[in-house]
Every structure is written in C-alpha cells, then in structure tokens.
C-alpha cells in the first residue's frame, strides 16, 4: 500500500479532527492533495501541498478552517480540520503526484477515511 489515509471518525459540529496520509515508495516526497466525496456527490478538491511543503492552497469551502501540512521525515501528510460543519461529512481521500485541484492530475490514491460531523 503506497498511500494510507486514516484518522476519520464521528465528531460534533465545531469539533476538530486531524487526518493523516502515510506515503511510501515513490510518493513519499511528492506533491499531494486531499479530496472528499460526500454521499450522492462527486469527489471534490479540498487542499494540496507541494513536495517541500512550502506551497499549498485550499478549496474556498474549507479555507481558514482546514490546514494541510507534511512531515517528510515521517513521510506523512496531514489535514487538520477545525470548526467542522455537517457539510464536511464525506469520505476523505489523499492523493499523490500532482500539485493542484484537478483530480485527473494525481497518480496515486489512498483508500479513503470517513469523517462524519453531526449537528
């Protein structure tokens, strides 16, 4: 398994949660991103980070609440999610190999971790 996402769970609105994505093999220093797919909706972009961690950007819906970061010693990318809302409920996926919001650019995907935010 080259990308493994974990850290999801059930939280209440306003709570925080941190997702992790452990990368191995080719991807451990690649640019990476987080996407999410809510029930009945298409998968959408959340955040992306460069290989060094020096650049990142976010979807407007999460800007100011979510923070993407990485630890290249631990080969892990994080998504810190604060002030969670029920509309953040989704399966969250990490992806590797591209810096940007276009899912077609990514070359590897993790298995997804479910985040459920109750009101």
């Amino acid at each position: 398994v080259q990308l493994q996402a974990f850290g999801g769970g059930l939280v209440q609105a306003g709570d925080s949660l941190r997702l992790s994505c452990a990368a191995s093999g080719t991807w451990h220093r690649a640019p990476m991103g987080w996407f999410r797919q809510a029930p009945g909706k298409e998968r959408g972009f959340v955040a992306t980070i460069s290989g060094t961690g020096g650049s990142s950007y976010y979807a407007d819906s999460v800007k100011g609440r979510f923070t993407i970061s990485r630890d290249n010693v631990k080969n892990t990318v994080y998504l810190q999610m604060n002030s969670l809302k029920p509309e953040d409920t989704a399966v969250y996926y990490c992806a590797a190999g591209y810096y940007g919001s276009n899912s077609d650019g990514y070359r590897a995907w993790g298995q997804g971790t479910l985040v459920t935010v109750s009101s």
Side-chain angles (χ1 to χ4, degrees), residues 14-30:
D15 285 351
S16 298
L17 201 61
R18 188 176 78 162
L19 305 183
S20 301
C21 177
S24 61
T26 309
W27 309 114
H28 71 282
R29 291 186 184 273

Side-chain angles (χ1 to χ4, degrees), residues 9-10 14 18 20 26 29 36 43-44 47-48 65-66 70 75 77-80 98 102 107 111 113 115:
L10 172 63
R18 188 176 78 162
S20 301
T26 309
R29 291 186 184 273
R36 66 185 180 185
R43 188 162 54 187
T48 187
R65 299 188 298 123
F66 290 12
R70 66 190 301 153
N75 298 332
V77 173
Y78 304 98
L79 185 68
Q80 177 67 43
Y98 184 70
N102 187 349
R107 296 167 59 194
Q111 83 285 6
T113 184
V115 173

Side-chain angles (χ1 to χ4, degrees), residues 19-23 28 30 32-34 49 68-72 74-79 94:
L19 305 183
S20 301
C21 177
H28 71 282
M32 296 184 69
W34 285 98
I49 190 166
I68 189 170
S69 63
R70 66 190 301 153
D71 184 335
N72 282 347
K74 296 182 178 180
N75 298 332
T76 302
V77 173
Y78 304 98
L79 185 68
C94 61

Side-chain angles (χ1 to χ4, degrees), residues 1 4 9 13-14 22 24 28 32 34-36 42 50 59 64-65 67 77 84 99 103-104 106 108-109 112-113:
V1 176
Q4 189 168 12
S24 61
H28 71 282
M32 296 184 69
W34 285 98
F35 290 75
R36 66 185 180 185
E42 294 186 353
S50 63
R65 299 188 298 123
T67 302
V77 173
L84 282 161
Y99 177 71
S103 61
D104 290 341
Y106 290 85
W109 291 83
T113 184

